[in-house]
Amino acid sequence: MFKSVKELIAKCESEDKAIHEVMLEQEMAVTGLSKEKVYEYMNRNFETMENAVHDGIQGVTSKTGLTGGDAVLLQKYIESGRALSGYTLLDAVSKAVATNEVNAAMGKICATPTAGSAGVVPGVLFSLKNQLQLTRQDMLNFLLTAGAFGFVVANNASISGAAGGCQAEVGSAAAMAAAAIVEAAGGTPRQSSEAFAICMKNMLGLVCDPVAGLVEVPCVKRNAAGASNAIVSADMALAGVESRIPTDEVIEAMYKIGQTMPSALRETGRGGLAGTPTGQRLKQQIFGD
């Protein structure tokens, strides 16, 4: 059993195992499920993610009309050849947006780790599929690796916007994805840890300020930022860049920042963007007086 990233990496190195292998063993030990059953459940989650990306790319609109169609616009922009970002990065952004647009439209998504941050992990996973030549098994292992880091965050800090702001949701999701990208790209467990730390540091202090209290604005676009942050952080770690602050200390810092964050900036829909004149007007437009 591991409870910290330090313990996770030490176990990987001492036993010469990949992160997904250690996470699989822990999942089997905790749930009592067989290896086959764990992969069966993970495959179900994978298919939910795959369907959400597909549906979002085709175009969906939320009941409120606040969000929808941006994933389509991004795909068209990619096809135009005018994109300033590289193909993989922008494709990840579009698929992250697609997933969260499906969530806002009351479609079925897989919370990774939450509904509000559900686009980041599948966004980067499906954008990297061809470039890294990932098999179905590789992609399931990607999710296990992301889950290993999510497990540590959930048990030592928070993945709740209400408890710790959006840094705990999109921040955690982005860092989880960054770590998983590194392993999928052939990096070491320690490099995965560095990618997680680099990515999480870039998201510290991010508030949760949903307009009208809905998981739409600015949530959808924050998933786009999370996906791009994950890929850049993974590249930095693969290049040999290290975090000066150990990963577990970064997670602890995130937790403490969340504890000191005003309640108005923790999913209450009262502060930040939700408290702007336009945010208040949209709330009144949707819910009335």
Side-chain angles (χ1 to χ4, degrees):
M1 293 285 287
F2 63 88
K3 295 182 180 179
S4 67
V5 173
K6 183 178 181 179
E7 291 175 353
L8 170 62
I9 302 308
K11 190 173 181 64
C12 288
E13 292 178 343
S14 65
E15 299 179 14
D16 192 25
K17 291 178 180 176
I19 294 170
H20 76 264
E21 293 176 307
V22 174
M23 184 57 185
L24 176 62
E25 291 174 354
Q26 178 147 308
E27 189 71 10
M28 291 167 63
V30 170
T31 64
L33 297 174
S34 66
K35 174 182 177 180
E36 291 73 24
K37 202 67 178 178
V38 171
Y39 274 117
E40 181 183 323
Y41 283 128
M42 192 59 80
N43 188 63
R44 184 181 64 183
N45 294 335
F46 174 87
E47 289 179 347
T48 298
M49 294 178 188
E50 189 172 39
N51 291 336
V53 168
H54 174 270
D55 292 346
I57 291 297
Q58 301 306 307
V60 294
T61 303
S62 68
K63 298 293 183 182
T64 65
L66 287 178
T67 54
D70 287 345
V72 175
L73 292 177
L74 285 163
Q75 283 292 319
K76 289 181 178 178
Y77 182 57
I78 292 171
E79 293 169 4
S80 74
R82 295 183 289 108
L84 304 178
S85 304
Y87 171 82
T88 299
L89 186 67
L90 203 55
D91 190 49
V93 164
S94 71
K95 288 171 179 173
V97 168
T99 301
N100 264 80
E101 287 184 331
V102 168
N103 177 59
M106 306 305 287
K108 187 177 181 181
I109 53 91
C110 180
T112 48
T114 65
S117 61
V120 180
V121 171
V124 300
L125 174 57
F126 288 105
S127 70
L128 291 167
K129 176 183 177 180
N130 292 333
Q131 182 174 337
L132 297 180
Q133 298 182 320
L134 301 178
T135 65
R136 181 64 161 254
Q137 187 66 44
D138 291 334
M139 297 176 84
L140 297 182
N141 291 338
F142 182 104
L143 298 180
L144 283 169
T145 301
F149 285 87
F151 171 85
V152 174
V153 175
N155 285 283
N156 291 282
S158 175
I159 56 171
S160 164
C166 198
Q167 59 167 5
E169 293 206 23
V170 171
S172 294
M176 290 161 57
I181 292 169
V182 169
E183 182 171 281
T188 67
R190 190 164 296 278
Q191 285 178 316
S192 284
S193 173
E194 300 295 347
F196 182 98
I198 292 168
C199 190
M200 178 60 81
K201 288 193 299 185
N202 294 333
M203 307 294 275
L204 291 180
L206 186 59
V207 302
C208 183
D209 51 352
V211 171
L214 302 171
V215 189
E216 297 193 51
V217 178
C219 315
V220 173
K221 294 180 180 68
R222 282 194 180 146
N223 275 259
S228 58
N229 189 7
I231 292 174
V232 171
S233 298
D235 264 335
M236 291 178 72
L238 288 166
V241 177
E242 298 179 350
S243 171
R244 296 299 182 186
I245 308 300
T247 309
D248 289 307
E249 291 184 29
V250 174
I251 293 172
E252 182 182 11
M254 185 269 279
Y255 174 71
K256 290 181 176 178
I257 291 169
Q259 292 295 295
T260 59
M261 196 175 285
S263 62
L265 300 177
R266 287 188 279 123
E267 209 172 304
T268 57
R270 293 188 287 113
L273 297 175
T276 62
T278 298
Q280 289 297 300
R281 177 179 58 78
L282 290 171
K283 178 181 178 181
Q284 197 278 332
Q285 181 180 307
I286 294 167
F287 295 113
D289 298 324

